[in-house]
């Protein structure tokens, strides 16, 4: 992954991956706040990787036990085994890092006052001495 601010390359480690569950992280070099943007094939690839192990394990658990609780636990286990590594791989190799934009106005700028309606509609008045 390359930081768009300082152009430094860094890897997405498991610790960094789990600290940023929403895809927001800081650059280890410059400390810039970054957000991950996924490419168009991310969600289809995640669905496929989840189905690879979730579906067979959940079907097997249901046929062996008949319990929905065990079936859901098996599906969650399958997703942890196949989905998490696939998600980390896709984010490491194909995600786009962008700087996290501030949504608030800077604190050092003063708010602008709107002009009065009388000043904008009428002609300029002569100055009185």
């Amino acid at each position: 992954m390359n930081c768009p601010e300082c152009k430094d390359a860094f890897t997405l480690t498991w610790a960094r991956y789990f600290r940023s569950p929403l895809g927001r992280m800081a650059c280890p070099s410059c400390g810039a706040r970054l957000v991950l943007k996924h490419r168009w094939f991310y969600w289809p690839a995640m669905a496929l990787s989840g189905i690879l192990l979730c579906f067979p394990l959940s079907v097997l658990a249901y046929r062996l036990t008949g319990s929905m609780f065990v079936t859901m636990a098996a599906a969650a286990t399958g997703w942890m085994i196949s989905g998490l590594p696939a998600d980390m791989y896709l984010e490491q190799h194909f995600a786009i890092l962008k700087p996290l934009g501030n949504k608030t106005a800077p604190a050092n700028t003063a708010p602008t006052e709107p002009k009065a309606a009388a000043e904008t509609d009428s002609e300029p008045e002569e100055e009185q001495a």
Side-chain angles (χ1 to χ4, degrees):
M1 304 181 96
N2 292 325
C3 175
E5 298 289 325
C6 66
K7 308 295 185 220
D8 187 37
F10 63 95
T11 59
L12 182 63
T13 60
W14 281 106
R16 194 173 291 131
Y17 174 78
F18 283 117
R19 278 188 304 214
S20 59
L22 299 176
R24 294 181 178 171
M25 64 181 65
C27 174
S29 298
C30 67
R33 297 293 301 159
L34 305 171
V35 64
L36 289 170
K37 297 291 182 187
H38 296 116
R39 297 180 192 249
W40 66 270
F41 54 84
Y42 173 79
W43 291 110
M46 282 304 298
L48 180 65
S49 69
I51 289 172
L52 287 177
L53 206 55
C54 285
F55 187 70
L57 280 180
S58 62
V59 169
L60 180 66
Y62 186 74
R63 288 191 184 231
L64 291 176
T65 64
S67 169
M68 280 307 284
F69 179 76
V70 174
T71 302
M72 295 308 243
T77 303
W79 185 82
M80 297 275 261
I81 293 171
S82 66
L84 286 177
D87 183 43
M88 184 172 164
Y89 177 81
L90 289 172
E91 287 185 354
Q92 171 71 33
H93 295 287
F94 300 111
I96 302 166
L97 280 175
K98 293 189 176 188
L100 185 63
N102 292 338
K103 299 199 185 293
T104 60
N108 59 359
T109 59
T112 58
E113 296 181 17
K115 292 184 179 181
E119 291 178 6
T120 57
D121 293 333
S122 64
E123 294 179 13
E125 298 179 15
E126 295 179 14
E127 291 184 20
Q128 296 179 357

